[in-house]
Amino acid sequence: MKRAFKYRFYPTDAQAVELSRTFGCVRKVYNLALAARTEGWVLRQERVNYNATSTMLTAWKKTEELAYLNDVSSVPLQQALRHLQTAFTHFFARRAQYPRFKSRKKSRKSAEYTTSAFRFRDGRLTLAKMAEPLDIVWSRPLPEGVAPSTVTVSQDSAGRWYVSLLCEDPSVKPLPAAETAVGVDAGLDHLLTLSTGEKITNPRHERRDRTRLAKAQRQLARKVKGDGANRAKARQKVARIHARIADRRRDNLHKITTRLVRENQTIVIEDLTVRNLLKNGTLARAVSDAAWSEFRSLLDYKAQWYGREVIAVDRWFPSSKLCSACGSLQGKMPLHVRTWTCGCGATHDRDVNAARNILAAGLAVSACGAGVRPQRSSPGGQSAMKQEPLRREPWESPSFHEGEEVKLPASP
């Protein structure tokens, strides 16, 4: 199983300059290739593939205007073209939207090196075009006897440098089968409520640093917009606070998901539409801080690693209003109602009852393929799990005709 190990490192001044130059060249090549592929289809109905853009890259390096591309390693530039090809593959398979141009200020700064562009010996990593190895903080050891196949260097918005080593990890293998299953109900008062009755506290990481963040943002707002050093320092201060919040949140979610995967064979969750929940102006900040989407993604890949099963119950399933004892469906139940009593005499905690119903619905699906909406169907008779249609560019429309004027995306 391939696994990435991410470490922080501290480059020298010369290394920082070289890596920053590489990031800029990678972004430039990606944007040039995207523009060429877009224009080729719009103007000539021609599909430009990876091989064609690779030939273009050779020609670009020979021009006087782009001669600076020869100053950096060629491998990250080729990898940028491969990443663009992957983006188009996902687009044509309708798994993603049309690729966008990379921005100098907003896009992630990264460069990927393959085995021909780095040397890894005795725990020392040296990249192409560099004389000295990187000063890496080895916070955890790599698997014994393995060597990285790909190295990705990146810099976040807070100015921190990271290196990610992709290795074959023999320790990632299915865990012994367990007989336990758990239902998970996500919330805000408590981050997660389990069908066992356990409630996991919501740390509210953003609220803890809200005062510091507000002060830093006020200082940034007072700076004159431009490329001044003072504004850059103020912006980085805000980014550091955001990074601190995100690091704590991610660490907590890693611990929770690892525990759930280790202790349970089947984990049943609710298929929440976080994008729609963020439209609620009152709860948007709290929902963002809870990071339910990140929890779902961490749980999915860890379950896949260790041979566990994750079942997502449809978002329209009335888990809170359904009595887990007798199965009767209650009427309207506002969010402020945290405890309620059913006609059968059972008194329920709203979140624990929801988690138990989610577990029961998920196990029914796993055992006999039963539906997860026994009490209610989605509007229009369509499945609520159906994806929203992706936005298509004009030249991807069946009604588009050659020669028709189309406004191309602007390159930054």
Side-chain angles (χ1 to χ4, degrees), residues 65 81 84 135 190 216 219 278-279 302 401:
E65 181 183 1
L81 299 180
L84 179 60
D135 182 16
H190 294 89
Q219 293 175 348
L278 292 176
K279 296 177 182 179
K302 290 181 181 181
H401 301 288

Side-chain angles (χ1 to χ4, degrees), residues 336-357:
H336 68 269
V337 177
R338 309 314 302 174
T339 304
W340 58 279
T341 301
C342 178
C344 67
T347 300
H348 298 291
D349 178 283
R350 180 192 184 105
D351 297 332
V352 175
N353 178 69
R356 290 172 178 168
N357 286 326

Side-chain angles (χ1 to χ4, degrees), residues 133-322:
L134 300 181
D135 182 16
I136 301 176
V137 179
W138 298 101
S139 54
R140 54 177 172 168
L142 289 175
E144 187 175 357
V146 302
S149 59
T150 303
V151 171
T152 303
V153 182
S154 60
Q155 185 185 24
D156 65 7
S157 58
R160 302 178 298 181
W161 296 84
Y162 292 96
V163 58
S164 179
L165 309 177
L166 184 64
C167 305
E168 190 73 30
D169 189 0
S171 66
V172 177
K173 53 187 177 182
L175 295 171
E179 298 180 356
T180 55
V182 66
V184 181
D185 178 65
L188 296 178
D189 289 338
H190 294 89
L191 182 62
L192 301 174
T193 301
L194 308 184
S195 56
T196 58
E198 178 185 357
K199 295 187 176 182
I200 299 176
T201 304
N202 186 357
R204 301 184 186 273
H205 299 290
E206 185 271 339
R207 179 179 292 183
R208 290 170 55 186
D209 279 348
R210 187 173 297 177
T211 302
R212 294 179 59 229
L213 180 60
K215 180 179 179 181
Q217 288 175 329
R218 285 196 299 269
Q219 293 175 348
L220 174 61
R222 295 190 189 104
K223 301 296 185 291
V224 179
K225 290 186 177 181
D227 296 330
N230 287 337
R231 181 174 175 80
K233 291 178 183 178
R235 184 205 59 77
Q236 194 170 80
K237 186 175 181 181
V238 173
R240 287 198 189 102
I241 299 175
H242 278 297
R244 171 185 170 89
I245 295 172
D247 288 346
R248 291 202 308 256
R249 181 188 298 125
R250 190 180 304 110
D251 178 69
N252 183 56
L253 291 178
H254 269 297
K255 293 175 181 177
I256 293 173
T257 52
T258 299
R259 175 195 154 197
L260 290 175
V261 168
R262 285 178 177 173
E263 295 178 354
N264 302 279
Q265 181 66 33
T266 303
I267 305 166
V268 187
I269 59 177
E270 197 171 9
D271 185 29
L272 297 173
T273 314
V274 179
R275 185 186 347 179
N276 292 340
L277 293 174
L278 292 176
K279 296 177 182 179
N280 185 325
T282 304
L283 299 177
R285 172 177 276 183
V287 171
S288 298
D289 193 26
W292 293 332
S293 294
E294 187 172 6
F295 167 77
R296 169 77 180 271
S297 63
L298 294 178
L299 196 62
D300 282 340
Y301 84 74
K302 290 181 181 181
Q304 183 180 4
W305 277 3
Y306 299 112
R308 302 311 199 194
E309 183 182 16
V310 175
I311 301 174
V313 174
D314 183 58
R315 62 178 67 101
W316 296 112
F317 177 62
S319 57
S320 298
K321 298 187 292 183
L322 191 67

